[in-house]
């Protein structure tokens, strides 16, 4: 995709690979937090041990910016949401969060970029009136792209999705509800609100589509949680 050029930048926390243009920043990225100032930081914010320049140095968690002793902040973890190239120092709480997100970046994000076939219907259409599209996340993660043989659709901006709902389609042998599709409510480029349903194409194997839906749900949650802060 044009314009997703990146440049290397060194912040106080480490080397980052950032998009050259702001309009290319991923909706899954987070800004680096401000670090708790020296004045507010006389003791570890976890175990309360007092800092001492020689015996107990303070360290900042790269994810939350709070200050900790080495014991409470020694884990080095990947932090792709802040675009660090190498693992960076994390406190214990943030370690857990970032480890879970590693899963998203290693698996679910790839699923979204690879795409899948869905039958797309507008809210005012009957279930049989939709058209088949190949849906995938754009390379800069900002848009859902719809590729159709006959029909065209404008991309949906990930940051303009207001709600996302999983639509069930029956149960498997063990009684687990199967995801049949998703409905999203989003704001389009004209500022109008739209609701579309994207159902896994029932022509063939449903599994890839269901995995794509699960990944989309995780992606939406990440963007939504970051928005709520
Ligand atoms: Zn501590
Ligand atoms: Zn932290």
């Amino acid at each position: 995709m044009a314009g997703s050029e990146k440049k290397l930048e060194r912040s106080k926390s480490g080397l980052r690979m950032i998009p050259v243009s702001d309009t290319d920043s991923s909706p899954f990225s987070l800004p680096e937090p401000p670090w708790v100032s020296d004045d507010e930081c006389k003791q570890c914010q976890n175990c309360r041990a007092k800092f001492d320049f020689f015996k107990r140095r303070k360290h900042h968690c790269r994810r939350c910016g709070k200050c900790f002793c080495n014991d409470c902040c020694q884990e080095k973890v990947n932090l792709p949401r802040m675009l660090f190239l190498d693992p960076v120092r994390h406190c214990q709480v943030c370690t857990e969060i970032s480890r879970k997100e590693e899963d998203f970046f290693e698996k679910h994000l790839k699923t979204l970029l690879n795409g899948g076939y869905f039958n797309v219907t507008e809210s005012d259409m009957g279930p049989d009136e939709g058209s088949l599209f190949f849906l995938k996340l754009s390379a800069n993660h900002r848009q859902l792209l719809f590729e159709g043989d006959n029909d065209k659709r404008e991309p949906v901006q990930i940051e303009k999705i207001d709600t996302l709902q999983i639509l069930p389609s029956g149960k498997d042998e063990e009684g687990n509800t199967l995801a049949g599709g998703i409905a999203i409510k989003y704001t389009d480029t004209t500022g109008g609100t739209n609701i579309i349903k994207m159902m896994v194409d029932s022509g063939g194997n449903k599994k890839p589509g269901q995995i794509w839906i699960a990944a989309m749900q995780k992606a939406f949650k990440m963007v939504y949680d970051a928005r709520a802060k």
Side-chain angles (χ1 to χ4, degrees), residues 44-49 68-72:
C44 172
Q45 291 188 271
N46 183 48
C47 73
R48 302 281 156 210
F68 300 95
C69 71
N70 186 57
D71 288 347
C72 296

Side-chain angles (χ1 to χ4, degrees), residues 186-200:
Y186 68 98
T187 309
D188 65 24
T189 46
T190 66
T193 303
N194 286 288
I195 298 173
I196 52 169
K197 284 184 186 174
M198 301 173 278
M199 301 305 289
V200 176

Side-chain angles (χ1 to χ4, degrees), residues 98-126:
S98 289
R99 287 225 195 278
K100 278 191 196 136
E101 286 176 359
E102 252 179 320
D103 228 32
F104 175 79
F105 283 91
E106 270 163 26
K107 281 192 285 189
H108 306 295
L109 186 57
K110 286 184 186 139
T111 300
L112 292 174
L113 293 166
N114 286 339
Y117 285 97
F118 291 86
N119 200 45
V120 180
T121 49
E122 305 279 346
S123 51
D124 58 356
M125 284 180 181

